[in-house]
Structures are given as structure tokens and as C-alpha cells.
Amino acid sequence: MKAIVTGISGQDGFFLSQLLLSKGYEVHGVLRRNSSMTRGTIDFLPPDIEKQLVIHYGDITDENFLSKLLQSEKPEELYHLAAQSFVGYSFESAHSTYDANIGGTLNVCNAIKTLSPDTRMYFAATSELFGKPNETPQNERTPLLPRSPYAVSKLAGLWTTRTYRDAYQLFMSNGILFNHESEVRGPEFVTRKISMGVARILLGSNEPIVLGNLSAVKDWGYAKDYVEGMWKMLQYEIPDDFVMGTGESHSVRDFVEEAFGVANIKITWKGTGVNEVGLSEEGKVLVKASRGLYRPLESDNYRADYSKVREKLGWEPRVKFKELVRIMVENDIKLIKHK
Ligand code: NAP
């Protein structure tokens, strides 16, 4: 079996490529060139795993590149993970977000339709499509009310794959995934900012962790579990859409408390909104909120109802909130110690 993974240098690409290799796949990855020739999370893979990957340098906004790739490789499966995935940045640069997430997805769909129609495709949709939902928990029938350029772009991607699936009888499935994190999460994402900040403070830093909305409520799982669900979606008898999450809600404040808890540090909160701070027992400011990190529109209040994926694909999250936070903090302590 051959699979192409776009976005192989991202968090999910790291776990998915290892999962597919362990199942005996020939794994091809799409990688963007950058001037420093770094390769994102590919550089964190063990050398014996990394050398098994077949890398194609290219950009998903380049229709010609994708056409040539699909024509020459004709993979059984394609996992379309590549995206401008940071919600905050999408408010700064909506145009580039739309180019990659809408234009890039359209290019992938067109290349499959015209050059490799037997390829099964996974599209990385997101719980951000729900915006700030009034109904809890959220499932495949919850109204989609995006509240960021990122979410709008993913809505277009979702509907592009649904339309191509129905119009041209293509196997295209959507994973509506709630937040999933890990030890290779990008450093700009809130969970990794917290785990790295806690590790630095434990190892002597006096810099507090600066965050946006501490009250934002998310459903956080472990990325390694979620890539297994992606794979299961493409083994299912029909293409379909599935919500994946843990069914647990936690605020950013909870994440901070849990992360410091790994080192037995208790946080006390003082103030509200942008004036809120998290203090150590000695009264030292370890965490503070910043107006600059609030989004123009917040999207939260998330909790997944993942009963469909559980019933149809037998998928369950193995790692829950407490364990996830511990994995991330312990890993960042190790990383900083060995720098
Ligand atoms: P990520 O770490 O940000 O990785 C995104 C990947 O896309 C990177 O490899 C990036 O390459 C690549 N990419 C971006 N623009 C590209 C372009 N124009 N051409 C080629 N490659 C491009 O994201 P992730 O956490 O692995 O998430 C994977 C997918 O799931 C994304 O589509 C994301 O939006 C979606 N998703 C993620 C979550 C989550 O909580 N993690 C939840 C729901 C949905 P560079 O290294 O060159 O930047």
C-alpha cells in the first residue's frame, strides 16, 4: 500500500507517518522547501524511520506540482493534512490562509478526480467549524458557524470534499477533529506554550507564561490517538464524516493548573480578564494574561460527542487530559535540560 501525506512536517504528520510505516505502507510526504532547509517534525523522527520516507518537495498551492505527483504515484490513500493551521495567525493573514487551505485543498481534490480517482482521501477538518456552539456536546449534526478565517477556510475545504465525493463518486472522508496536542505540537499553540513555560520556570527561568483568554474551553486529546482514527476512516466501507475528540472539556486555566501540578506547584488566581495572574504559593507571578493575545473573535465551549466514530470505527481516545499534560510537560523538561 502506498500513501501520500501532505503536511508531513507538522505534528500529525509526525505520528501518522510512523503509524503508516508500522503497518507496512510506502509513505510519501509533501514538504515545503524553506531557506534554512529545516524539515519540521521530520527532524525529530528516529533516523531509521526517517530514511524510509519518500519526500517530494512542493507546495499545495501549486496545482501543477500536485498533478504531477498524483499522476506519477497514484497512491491508494492520501492524507491531506497540510494547512495554515494556526487560528490566531489566520486573523493576521487571511489571504495566505485561504490560499493554502481552500486553494490547496481544491488542488488536491482536482488532482485526485482527474488523475487518480481510486485514491482514498482524508481531509483534516476541525472543531473550529462549530465556532462558539450553544449546544454541548458537538457531533456531526451540530451547526457549523465558523468564527475565524481559519475556520472559514476549513468549512470551504469540508464542503469541497463533500461535493467532490457526491458529484464524482470519490472516496473522500472528513475528520472533524477537536484539538489534539503532543510533545511535537508547534510552540505557538497554547498547550505547548504552557508546557514549555512550566519546564523553563522549573529549570530556573523568572519569565512568566503570557497567555490570551484563560477561560477558553476546549476538548484536548493526544495527537497519536487521532492519527489512528484518520487511518480507520480510510479503511471504512464508505466515505463519511466523523467527529473525533475526548468528550472532556477543560479551560486554558485548567491546563495551566495541571501543568504546574506535574511539578507539585499549586497556582492561585488573582484578578479577572486581561488583569488575571497566576501566582505561586510564595506570591510570584508565574502566568499572566495579555490583551494582545486575545483573538478578535473567540471560539470555544467545546466538547466532542464522538459516539459515531466509536460505533462505526471502534475508535476511542486512549490518552485523556491529565496524562496528555504530563506527557507534554515531562518531555519539555527533558528537552530544555538537554539543550
Ligand atoms: P501543523 O503542525 O501546523 O502542520 C501543518 C503542516 O502543513 C506543516 O507540515 C506545514 O509545513 C504544512 N503546510 C502548510 N502550508 C503548506 C503549503 N502551502 N504547502 C505544503 N505544506 C504546507 O498542523 P497539525 O497539528 O499537524 O494538523 C494537521 C491538520 O489537521 C491541519 O490541516 C490542521 O488544520 C488540522 N487540524 C489540527 C488540529 C489540531 O488540534 N492539531 C485539530 C483539527 C484540525 P511547514 O512545516 O512548511 O509549515
Side-chain angles (χ1 to χ4, degrees):
M1 288 281 272
K2 189 191 287 183
I4 292 179
V5 179
T6 71
I8 196 157
S9 60
Q11 169 187 259
D12 292 1
F14 175 84
F15 291 107
L16 181 63
S17 53
Q18 294 181 79
L19 177 78
L20 295 174
L21 285 171
S22 74
K23 291 183 182 295
Y25 279 70
E26 181 181 319
V27 179
H28 293 240
V30 171
L31 181 64
R32 270 198 293 194
R33 183 194 170 274
N34 64 41
S35 59
S36 49
M37 290 307 278
T38 49
R39 301 178 307 161
T41 60
I42 296 178
D43 290 335
F44 306 143
L45 287 168
D48 58 315
I49 302 274
E50 181 265 314
K51 71 172 187 239
Q52 296 177 55
L53 299 176
V54 183
I55 298 296
H56 303 263
Y57 277 93
D59 196 299
I60 53 162
T61 58
D62 182 343
E63 188 178 6
N64 194 35
F65 160 74
L66 283 170
S67 298
K68 278 198 290 192
L69 181 66
L70 267 294
Q71 186 160 39
S72 65
E73 300 305 335
K74 296 202 187 321
E76 276 86 9
E77 296 172 10
L78 185 147
Y79 296 85
H80 179 38
L81 308 182
Q84 191 304 94
S85 71
F86 192 54
V87 175
Y89 181 70
S90 78
F91 284 102
E92 307 297 324
S93 188
H95 209 298
S96 68
T97 303
Y98 287 3
D99 284 348
N101 299 5
I102 303 177
T105 303
L106 185 59
N107 288 340
V108 173
C109 290
N110 277 333
I112 289 178
K113 169 182 166 257
T114 46
L115 299 160
S116 189
D118 291 332
T119 297
R120 293 185 167 204
M121 174 189 168
Y122 170 85
F123 174 66
T126 166
S127 55
E128 292 289 323
L129 295 174
F130 299 126
K132 208 170 172 51
N134 292 322
E135 51 187 78
T136 301
Q138 299 88 36
N139 59 29
E140 294 78 5
R141 295 176 303 283
T142 304
L144 304 177
L145 301 164
R147 283 167 66 86
S148 67
Y150 168 74
V152 171
S153 73
K154 288 289 185 176
L155 186 68
L158 176 95
W159 275 105
T160 303
T161 59
R162 282 178 174 172
T163 306
Y164 274 51
R165 174 168 81 199
D166 294 345
Y168 311 118
Q169 292 76 52
L170 298 170
F171 196 111
M172 294 183 166
S173 289
N174 293 298
I176 303 173
L177 270 47
F178 283 65
N179 291 69
H180 44 282
E181 318 295 314
S182 73
E183 58 275 36
V184 294
R185 185 60 144 151
E188 71 277 38
F189 289 88
V190 64
T191 52
R192 192 75 196 283
K193 263 169 92 170
I194 297 169
S195 64
M196 286 169 74
V198 169
R200 276 197 210 100
I201 288 169
L202 284 179
L203 296 171
S205 167
N206 287 316
E207 288 294 310
I209 306 170
V210 184
L211 302 170
N213 182 8
L214 293 161
S215 301
V217 171
K218 305 278 179 180
D219 176 328
W220 281 298
Y222 188 39
K224 192 174 178 187
D225 290 344
Y226 288 53
V227 299
E228 211 165 315
M230 296 175 189
W231 176 77
K232 281 176 180 254
M233 283 181 213
L234 296 199
Q235 315 315 309
Y236 191 50
E237 63 223 40
I238 50 163
D240 204 346
D241 303 337
F242 298 92
V243 157
M244 281 169 56
T246 67
E248 279 185 18
S249 293
H250 294 279
S251 67
V252 173
R253 204 177 285 105
D254 295 340
F255 200 106
V256 169
E257 287 175 12
E258 194 64 45
F260 277 105
V262 173
N264 293 321
I265 295 175
K266 192 175 164 5
I267 297 288
T268 310
W269 299 99
K270 216 174 128 191
T272 54
V274 293
N275 297 316
E276 187 164 357
V277 289
L279 305 170
S280 70
E281 273 167 307
E282 297 76 37
K284 189 171 162 188
V285 176
L286 300 181
V287 185
K288 62 182 188 185
S290 160
R291 187 184 300 280
L293 294 175
Y294 272 63
R295 308 244 159 98
L297 275 180
E298 293 289 333
S299 50
D300 74 335
N301 195 23
Y302 291 150
R303 179 146 62 88
D305 163 11
Y306 64 92
S307 44
K308 179 174 170 183
V309 76
R310 185 178 52 215
E311 278 151 32
K312 304 238 181 240
L313 305 183
W315 181 87
E316 282 276 357
R318 291 194 192 96
V319 173
K320 292 289 188 83
F321 182 70
K322 221 176 156 57
E323 173 72 354
L324 168 70
V325 179
R326 194 189 55 75
I327 291 172
M328 292 179 72
V329 172
E330 287 184 354
N331 181 73
D332 281 330
I333 293 172
K334 255 193 247 154
L335 268 185
I336 294 174
K337 267 190 183 160
H338 293 116
K339 247 187 185 172

